[in-house]
Amino acid sequence: MADVQAALGGAGLRNVHVREYVRHWAELTGAERIEVISASDDARLIGEALAEREILPAGEGRYYSRSYVKDTARSEERTIVATSNPADKGVYNNWRPAGEMRPLVEERMRGASAGKTMYVVPYLMAPAGSPLEQYAAGVQLTDCRTVALHMIRMARVGVHYIDNLADQNSFVRAVHVTGDLEKLGQGTPGDQRYFVTIADERTIVHFGSSYGGNALLGKIAHGLRQAAYDGWASGEFLAEQFMLIGITDKLTGKRYHVCGGFPSASGKTNLAMMLPPDALADRYRVDFYGDDIAWLRADPDDGKIYAINPEFGVFGVAKDTSEVTNPTALAAVAPGTGTLFTNVAYNDLTHEVWWEGRTPAPPADLAGWRDWTGTLISERPAEDTGAPWAHPNSRFTTTLANVPNVAPDFDDPKGVPIDAIIFGGRTRDREPLIRAITDLAEGVYDGLTLGAEATFAAEGVEGLLRYDPMSMRPFMAYPEGAYAAHWLRVIGSAASQPIFAHVNWFQRDPEDGHYLWPGYRDNLRPLIWLLRLKEGEVRGRQTPVGIIPAKDELDLDGVTATPEELKTILSIDTPRWKQEIKHREQHLEQFAGLPEEIWQAHRRVAAALHRAD
Ligand code: OXD
Ligand code: MN
């Protein structure tokens, strides 16, 4: 049995609540050793992990690991929000009683770290000194060294973050036990994994994975689920799966900040790391703050909404990241950045990494290349020759400071004032390039009806989206009706409110399927239009579903789209919208206690579409 007191005392960790917490879980999991980790331990841990071949060198100051083949993604079915109050059950939060879940998870964790080291990772999900700091502190326990290395990149990690807490007991307890991955029946009826956030006890217990999305508990479990619950329970803030950027007009010197939610595979990281198109680069600068999570609060002093990115790094999808789609990300994972790659293809001889989309074709010389499962490409069976080299969900993990256009004030504890909140899915028709919404309830309504195309089309249900409210469907912590009310309250309490907008970079030509808008860097253009609309510099054209750019209001210098393409993406397809509005009604009807303001917004939009005949 590990000597808990000696390990914590040796690390200078004095917080008695942390000591008690570590003692409890060390005993339950049977860990053999305890080690307290700070960011300054990174080089030593990297050396140890290399020596044990848990990670492999991937060029100067970069590393590579493979996860178990059946442990490569977040599991939504096995993820649960538990509390003691049945009224916390929502449509998406997979609610279960805390009293039922805790013993189930404890049973699986009991003795499961025998012979292993339990790393104690004290962390902060906020810049130090943030007004939301009391919700940001946590201590992750993990029996996986690679997870500890990821945490150092993704969160601010150090003993001082929890030893100096005003309320010494106000840290999130985040326990991660890997389990015997080969015996967990992933995806079968006997699946042993449990990823549980006991939200009203501020305790996270994840068993049965060492893949980042399930095992980096500061990020999704704390930064989204727990924080969303805390933000609601305290009434103080919103925690959302949002990117956050700054846009500076170099001519006027004005700085703007935009945040927003996009369902998976809708280009959020590329947007967050975007550079201006060449034609606009003299005039505008885009700063990166975060690609995945934002916490939003109203500041009582100046009446504005402020946002922080609680994370310290980027856990980005590698697939399709290239010089064209995201040159900034490539620079952020360049040699010397300390980047950890997971489940991409790896070359034993040269230590290079590669993923689909990195270059138009895979490396021609196959010598030394292995796919993400570890199989030599040259020896893959004939039936696997077309299979991807990298897992589609392969990742890079790098710190924010490595992103070349990271905002100079990304670490400012106050956060940045928000001018606009945007939502965007991947929608092949109907959704124009951008439509602005100036009414708060209509903006929240738009977020609640956000969706991306799913496989429904195959079932012949024309136009039906997989709704993903505010892009929070997998991370929802409490009931959706209360969630909408909390949004109205937090943003409504600000004297100076952000403008909302819905964006869509993905409209396609119905005949040949090509994209009508070039996307990527050019996505800055509609955002600039939105900020100018807010400033009263352009007026746009009112439609039943919002304000869209009038002809000539978008700066299109250097854009290759044809006039016909532009016409399509800057107009409203009323018959298609009328279909959509019926689906929305069914979607919203699921949510008990949805505020009347949201229903009124829905009826207003429906009536305006009706009048548009
Ligand atoms: C996610 C992620 O799963 O950000 O959404 O990793
Ligand atoms: Mn995400």
Side-chain angles (χ1 to χ4, degrees), residues 424-431 451-453 465 502-508 576:
R426 181 181 275 273
T427 319
R428 69 178 55 230
D429 64 358
R430 185 179 53 76
E431 276 294 1
E453 280 160 7
L465 301 181
H502 198 108
V503 297
N504 179 25
W505 323 133
F506 300 102
Q507 262 212 64
R508 288 175 184 244
R576 283 287 291 108

Side-chain angles (χ1 to χ4, degrees), residues 74 219-220 224 241 268 291-292 395 475:
R74 268 192 298 111
K219 182 180 177 59
I220 292 171
L224 285 174
Q241 192 194 203
K268 183 157 57 81
D291 76 323
D292 201 40
R395 299 279 178 148
F475 315 112

Side-chain angles (χ1 to χ4, degrees), residues 344-368:
V344 296
Y346 178 74
N347 191 309
D348 282 346
L349 307 175
T350 61
H351 300 169
E352 288 168 283
V353 290
W354 188 84
W355 52 83
E356 273 65 28
R358 170 70 188 84
T359 48
D365 180 0
L366 300 189

Side-chain angles (χ1 to χ4, degrees), residues 10-67:
L13 198 156
R14 296 181 310 274
N15 185 324
V16 291
H17 301 281
V18 176
R19 287 182 173 223
E20 180 48 30
Y21 158 65
V22 177
R23 197 196 53 69
H24 172 83
W25 288 98
E27 203 172 296
L28 189 134
T29 61
E32 193 173 305
R33 291 169 298 278
I34 305 289
E35 197 182 310
V36 182
I37 297 301
S38 285
S40 55
D41 293 310
D42 191 59
R44 177 180 57 80
L45 291 168
I46 288 277
E48 291 171 8
L50 285 168
E52 295 293 327
R53 294 188 64 77
E54 293 160 0
I55 59 173
L56 301 172
E60 188 224 326
R62 307 197 305 179
Y63 311 96
Y64 172 65
S65 76
R66 286 185 194 103
S67 63

Side-chain angles (χ1 to χ4, degrees), residues 243-245 260 262-277 286-292 314-330 355-357 396 403 405 422 426 505-506 518-524 527:
M243 61 95 212
L244 174 57
I245 58 173
F262 294 73
S264 310
S266 301
K268 183 157 57 81
T269 300
N270 294 344
L271 181 68
M273 295 188 179
M274 155 179 74
L275 298 172
V286 183
D287 289 326
F288 169 80
Y289 286 89
D291 76 323
D292 201 40
V314 179
F315 180 57
V317 174
K319 184 172 184 293
D320 288 334
T321 303
S322 72
E323 300 291 353
V324 176
T325 62
N326 197 338
T328 331
L330 286 186
W355 52 83
E356 273 65 28
F396 58 83
V403 180
N405 64 333
I422 62 176
R426 181 181 275 273
W505 323 133
F506 300 102
Y520 304 115
R521 292 174 170 209
D522 288 312
N523 295 339
L524 183 62
L527 298 184

Side-chain angles (χ1 to χ4, degrees), residues 454-475:
T455 52
F456 296 109
E459 290 156 25
V461 186
E462 175 67 9
L464 196 58
L465 301 181
R466 179 187 195 258
Y467 288 109
D468 186 346
M470 308 261 186
S471 69
M472 284 291 284
R473 181 176 172 140
F475 315 112

